[in-house]
Amino acid sequence: MKTLHMIYSENPYQKMWDTFVYFESEPKTKRHLQKVYEQFDQKNGYKLAFQNTSKFIYFIKQSREYFNSAEKSNILVKPLLIYYGMMNLIKALVLTKDPSYPSNISVLRHGITTRKLKKNNYQFHEDEIKIQKEGLIPLFYSLMTQEPIEKIDGQKYKIKELLSLLPELVDSYKTSFNEQRIYPFSIASKNNHEINFSLTKEVLTHYQGNKQSLLSELNTYHKSKTSHFRAEKILIIHSSFHFYPRS
């Protein structure tokens, strides 16, 4: 299990960017990339790090400038600047997984599209984003999850669905659409064999009231091979569900 490092700061946003200052030093960045590349290419780690150091630093610096500009910009252009800032951070991360990036022109595309021709009664929240087979986003997905790009190729997501997943917009989203997709939950571990998992019953509205469907999805992401969530271990207390997975 990875160690969780807590960083306490009165300005976490600035602290986040301060951590990237480390990568403005070419020697340090080169050592970092060499260490990363040698994990999967022991022989060519130094060579690959030498080739990609400047590129990696550029991605980080450009991303920071986009975010800095966004902080000073009008709300109408701020989302676009943040988007391009995130794209550059993704490029830096992709470079640690794929030293040859960009290996061809196709990966320079964003990898997502929306309808070019909008309907007369167009509403932003009803617009759709479609995942393409080629581009940065599907490449990033494949490298991070080790899943084939074909798994998400062609999938569509409504803007409304994506907005519903932002914690900062929970109250506004609920007011605007009279629904909710993010719910508070609590986890308490009693011992190595029992975990109390509690969440509101409202979450069942997205599973047509079927507890088994909810359990099935929970177990999809529950990686343990020795335990899983079971229907008989669900305890309903007032307006909450309490789950007790056991081995």
Side-chain angles (χ1 to χ4, degrees):
M1 180 179 294
K2 292 184 177 181
T3 302
L4 182 63
H5 297 282
M6 302 295 292
I7 299 177
Y8 299 96
S9 173
E10 293 183 357
N11 191 339
Y13 181 79
Q14 183 59 47
K15 181 63 178 179
M16 179 192 74
W17 284 110
D18 287 346
T19 61
F20 286 109
V21 173
Y22 176 89
F23 295 112
E24 292 191 8
S25 166
E26 286 199 16
K28 290 180 179 179
T29 299
K30 192 179 299 179
R31 284 197 297 271
H32 173 76
L33 290 178
Q34 181 179 349
K35 183 178 179 180
V36 170
Y37 292 149
E38 285 180 346
Q39 293 178 7
F40 55 84
D41 192 338
Q42 184 70 36
K43 184 178 179 180
N44 298 311
Y46 177 82
K47 178 182 177 181
L48 293 172
F50 180 81
Q51 293 174 346
N52 289 329
T53 293
S54 297
K55 191 189 304 182
F56 184 86
I57 293 175
Y58 172 77
F59 288 147
I60 297 294
K61 285 185 174 181
Q62 189 172 44
S63 176
R64 186 180 60 205
E65 290 307 311
Y66 274 121
F67 275 93
N68 286 341
S69 296
E71 284 292 296
K72 307 168 187 174
S73 299
N74 185 280
I75 188 64
L76 292 176
V77 297
K78 182 177 290 189
L80 185 62
L81 293 170
I82 292 176
Y83 170 77
Y84 278 103
M86 285 301 302
M87 293 293 277
N88 275 278
L89 285 180
I90 288 176
K91 290 176 182 179
L93 189 53
V94 164
L95 199 60
T96 65
K97 301 289 184 179
D98 180 7
S100 64
Y101 176 83
S103 57
N104 55 68
I105 296 177
S106 65
V107 297
L108 294 177
R109 303 169 186 166
H110 291 191
I112 54 177
T113 58
T114 60
R115 292 192 187 98
K116 298 295 188 294
L117 184 62
K118 308 301 183 184
K119 298 179 180 179
N120 291 333
N121 58 345
Y122 169 79
Q123 290 184 303
F124 175 71
H125 68 270
E126 290 295 336
D127 206 354
E128 283 186 337
I129 293 177
K130 183 178 180 181
I131 307 295
Q132 300 295 314
K133 186 174 183 179
E134 297 178 326
L136 180 61
I137 298 300
L139 175 63
F140 174 69
Y141 167 84
S142 179
L143 291 173
M144 294 299 110
T145 65
Q146 302 301 310
E147 297 282 353
I149 292 177
E150 287 74 18
K151 189 170 182 178
I152 60 169
D153 178 28
Q155 287 194 17
K156 297 180 181 179
Y157 301 92
K158 281 191 175 182
I159 296 294
K160 180 181 175 182
E161 297 173 351
L162 300 178
L163 293 176
S164 72
L165 301 177
L166 297 176
E168 297 85 353
L169 296 182
V170 168
D171 293 336
S172 298
Y173 185 91
K174 193 171 184 178
T175 301
S176 300
F177 303 111
N178 196 30
E179 62 180 67
Q180 186 174 345
R181 290 178 178 270
I182 296 181
Y183 301 90
F185 70 92
S186 60
I187 297 177
S189 178
K190 288 187 175 181
N191 50 56
N192 293 332
H193 301 289
E194 183 174 298
I195 300 175
N196 297 346
F197 185 103
S198 174
L199 75 163
T200 175
K201 284 200 300 183
E202 291 179 2
V203 74
L204 277 186
T205 59
H206 300 285
Y207 298 90
Q208 290 73 51
N210 190 326
K211 290 184 290 186
Q212 195 57 50
S213 296
L214 173 58
L215 283 172
S216 178
E217 183 161 355
L218 285 173
N219 286 323
T220 298
Y221 298 98
H222 192 57
K223 303 299 184 181
S224 174
K225 296 181 180 179
T226 59
S227 66
H228 61 277
F229 295 101
R230 299 178 183 176
E232 64 270 18
K233 294 298 179 182
I234 297 181
L235 179 62
I236 303 178
I237 300 178
H238 301 301
S239 62
S240 299
F241 280 103
H242 292 252
F243 298 88
Y244 301 97
R246 286 181 178 273
S247 56

